[in-house]
Amino acid sequence: MRTRIVLGCAAVALAAAGCGKATAGHQNADDQHPASATQSTTQSAQPTRTSPVRSATAPPTHAAKPTPRATTAPPTRAGTPQPTNARRSPPAEPASGSRCHTSDLWAVFQPLGAAAGNQYGKILLTNHSGATCTVFGYGGISLTSSSGASVPSKQIRDTSTPPVQLTLRPGDHAYSQLHWSDVSGPGESSTRACEPSASGLQVIPPDETRALDAHWPGSPACEHGQIRQGAYRAGTGPASGG
């Protein structure tokens, strides 16, 4: 009786042990399946990474560089001297320093007296313009009658004093001394006037062509109208000749 009980317990124990192994084996199988499920779930739960897709459009082009605007020089202020490398021309000679023209002058004849058949006088030029001008040399002279007709006359230059350039300011004078003879010369009559009497004197300033009219005292110029003339000098000249 006791032996049956022992055997029964052993059988029960063996059955329980078998059940235990079966249970354990079943648990292991179940344990494996949840792990696989968990791993699958985890993999499916992870977000899917996609490779970045490059745009098929062309790369952006760079904008063309703006063309620089033409620069202009800043406006020049009035009265501000601007530097320059150009060589400056010398200033032109002012009109006030130019030659005296006929229109700038007055002419007057003044007698200076007589001595032993010789007559003396002078031509006086006056600058009546408003500008300074110059005179150089002898000029020209000729005698005329009261009607304006030409009277024989011949100018002879007196070179004993060389000419110099004279500067005449407005109102300044220049004079030229004259010398002629009132005694008949070769080929002239000794019983009457050697030459026709003159009443006018035409004065041509140096380097000019137009004449100024001046009064002549009426004395004839013998020796066929020869009149010696000196170069123009500054001032009004002597008060008497000889």
Side-chain angles (χ1 to χ4, degrees), residues 2 34 44 64 67 83-84 89 104 110 113 129 151 165 172 209 242:
R2 183 180 297 180
S44 61
T67 303
T84 178
S89 302
D104 299 326
Q110 295 178 347
S129 72
V151 172
Q165 180 166 291
D172 284 354
T209 58

Side-chain angles (χ1 to χ4, degrees), residues 103-105 126-133 169-171:
S103 59
D104 299 326
L105 303 169
T126 304
N127 179 9
H128 69 82
S129 72
T132 299
C133 58
R169 297 181 177 84

